[in-house]
Amino acid sequence: MLAAVAVSSAEAREDLEAQVERMIQAARGMTYEGILVHGTSVGVESMRLYHRGESDGGFRERLVMLTGPARELVREADGIKRYHPEVGQVISGPRRSGTAIFNLAEKDLQRVRDHYRLKAGPSGRVAGREARAVEFRAEDGQRFTYRVWRDEATDLPLQTEVMSKDGKVMETFTFAAVSPDGVLDDGDLQLNVPEDARKLERRELGQEEHPPILEGMELPPGFRLDARFEVPGKEGGTHFFYTDGLATLSLFLEQVEGESRQGSKVGEILQRGALHACSVNNERYRVTLLGELPGPALRKIATSLTKPADEES
C-alpha cells in the first residue's frame, strides 16, 4: 500500500511538472491578445496585451496601459523597450524574466523545483474559459506562494495569484478577456512613439564588480544575481537584479560622498500588493530595495547591508 501511494505521488508530481512545462511553452510560443487586469490592495490597473510566438522559438509582445499614466512597452525574448509619454522618452535594454502573463522561464525551472513545492490547485473559470490551478508553494516564510491558473484547452496561463503564508491573496494578474491562437499585424507589436522622443539605453554590465556593501548581503536560499544594469540617466547608479526563478528582487545602488554621508540605518518598509520596498543608508552607499518578498524577508536583507564602512573589505 505504501509503495502504491509513493508511486501515485510521484506520478502526480511528474504530471504537475509537465503542466508547468506546457504553460511555459504556451505563454511563450502561442499567439494571443487580451485585456490583463493587475489587482492589489490599493486598486487595479488594466492593460492590453499582444503576444506573438515566433518560428525561431522566440516571441514578441506589446503591453499598452489602459489606466493610469499612458505607457507602453515591447518585449522580445531578451530585450525590452519602454515608452513613457509623460516625459517623452524611450528606455531600451536587455531583460531577465519570462513573458507578461507567466514570469517563469524554462532556464529557471530547476531552481523553482528546489525552493517551491508543486501542488494541484482548484479548478474554475477564468476569462470565460475552463481552468485548473497549479500552486508553487513556499514554506520557508521568505517568499510568497504563487497560484497559476492554466487554460485546460490550450495550457495558456490565464491568472496568477501571489499568496502569503496564511493563504491571503496579496496580488492578482489575470486575463479579463483573451483570444488565443489569434492573428496579429506587425503594427500591433510596434511602439507608438513620436520621432522626437528621447532615447536612453539601459546597458547590461558585467557581474564581476561586487561593491563591498554587497559582500555580506543575506539573500533567501535560491536567490542569485542574474544581471547588473546601468541606471539610465543617472550617472553612477547601478541596478542589481536577483531572482529565485519566480520571485524577484531589484537593488539600486548609489555611492554617497562627502556631506551626504549618513550613519547606517534601514528605512520604513513600504508595501503595494506583494511588492515591498525600503531604503538603506550606509556610510558609503544609498541602497533601494524593491522585491516581491514578504516584508520581514526584505527587512532581513536590508539589515544585512548596514555593516559599517570601516568593517568592509
Side-chain angles (χ1 to χ4, degrees):
M1 185 181 298
L2 291 174
V5 170
V7 170
S8 176
S9 178
E11 289 176 346
R13 184 171 61 252
E14 289 176 1
D15 181 57
L16 287 175
E17 291 183 355
Q19 290 177 34
V20 172
E21 290 174 359
R22 295 200 304 271
M23 281 197 292
I24 294 173
Q25 293 165 5
R28 182 184 180 98
M30 288 177 59
T31 295
Y32 50 91
E33 64 175 304
I35 302 296
L36 282 171
V37 177
H38 176 215
T40 69
S41 58
V42 297
V44 297
E45 57 183 3
S46 60
M47 60 207 82
R48 178 171 288 279
L49 171 66
Y50 304 89
H51 179 103
R52 183 170 67 194
E54 306 289 2
S55 58
D56 62 358
F59 67 87
R60 186 176 178 87
E61 64 184 12
R62 177 176 170 230
L63 274 168
V64 181
M65 298 302 301
L66 301 178
T67 55
R71 288 170 290 151
E72 59 181 278
L73 61 87
V74 166
R75 285 191 274 218
E76 296 176 308
D78 57 1
I80 186 170
K81 291 183 178 179
R82 301 174 185 269
Y83 174 44
H84 301 264
E86 71 277 12
V87 292
Q89 68 182 24
V90 177
I91 299 176
S92 60
R95 61 187 297 267
R96 277 292 186 275
S97 61
T99 66
I101 188 59
F102 195 35
N103 205 38
L104 180 60
E106 283 182 290
K107 65 181 178 63
D108 294 321
L109 191 50
Q110 184 55 53
R111 272 198 288 174
V112 168
R113 290 190 185 108
D114 291 341
H115 298 284
Y116 296 84
R117 180 169 59 90
L118 287 180
K119 180 182 177 183
S123 59
R125 297 178 76 239
V126 180
R129 305 179 67 86
E130 297 298 325
R132 184 173 294 274
V134 175
E135 293 183 0
F136 299 80
R137 297 204 62 84
E139 298 175 332
D140 60 5
Q142 299 190 69
R143 64 202 89 212
F144 291 119
T145 287
Y146 294 79
R147 178 187 287 163
V148 184
W149 294 76
R150 174 183 61 87
D151 181 10
E152 294 204 76
T154 66
D155 290 315
L156 184 68
L158 298 175
Q159 176 172 283
T160 297
E161 297 167 304
V162 186
M163 304 165 61
S164 64
K165 191 174 182 179
D166 61 4
K168 178 182 178 182
V169 177
M170 310 289 292
E171 192 165 354
T172 59
F173 197 67
T174 183
F175 271 119
V178 63
S179 300
D181 292 322
V183 177
L184 299 178
D185 297 329
D186 289 343
D188 293 329
L189 297 161
Q190 301 291 333
L191 286 181
N192 183 19
V193 179
E195 293 184 4
D196 61 351
R198 184 186 179 204
K199 296 176 176 60
L200 297 176
E201 185 73 20
R202 179 173 178 256
R203 292 192 308 115
E204 185 168 358
L205 306 171
Q207 297 187 24
E208 65 280 354
E209 295 183 27
H210 210 64
I213 188 175
L214 302 186
E215 293 292 341
M217 182 166 60
E218 299 177 16
L219 292 169
F223 274 80
R224 71 182 186 207
L225 178 64
D226 265 23
R228 179 173 168 267
F229 304 104
E230 177 184 72
V231 178
K234 193 167 187 178
E235 186 175 352
T238 310
H239 174 195
F240 295 82
F241 180 81
Y242 302 86
T243 181
D244 67 357
L246 274 177
T248 62
L249 171 69
S250 287
L251 183 151
F252 299 91
L253 183 66
E254 179 183 3
Q255 191 157 358
V256 177
E257 298 181 0
E259 296 179 358
S260 298
R261 292 184 177 181
Q262 302 180 35
S264 297
K265 67 175 184 177
V266 176
E268 179 186 2
I269 301 290
L270 304 176
Q271 179 184 357
R272 186 178 187 274
L275 197 66
H276 289 79
C278 74
S279 61
V280 179
N281 288 321
N282 177 274
E283 292 192 10
R284 295 182 184 176
Y285 302 96
R286 180 178 297 111
V287 183
T288 302
L289 295 170
L290 192 66
E292 198 173 69
L293 295 167
L298 192 73
R299 179 169 290 280
K300 181 178 179 181
I301 298 169
T303 301
S304 71
L305 297 172
T306 57
K307 184 167 63 173
D310 59 4
E311 293 182 14
E312 295 172 356
S313 56

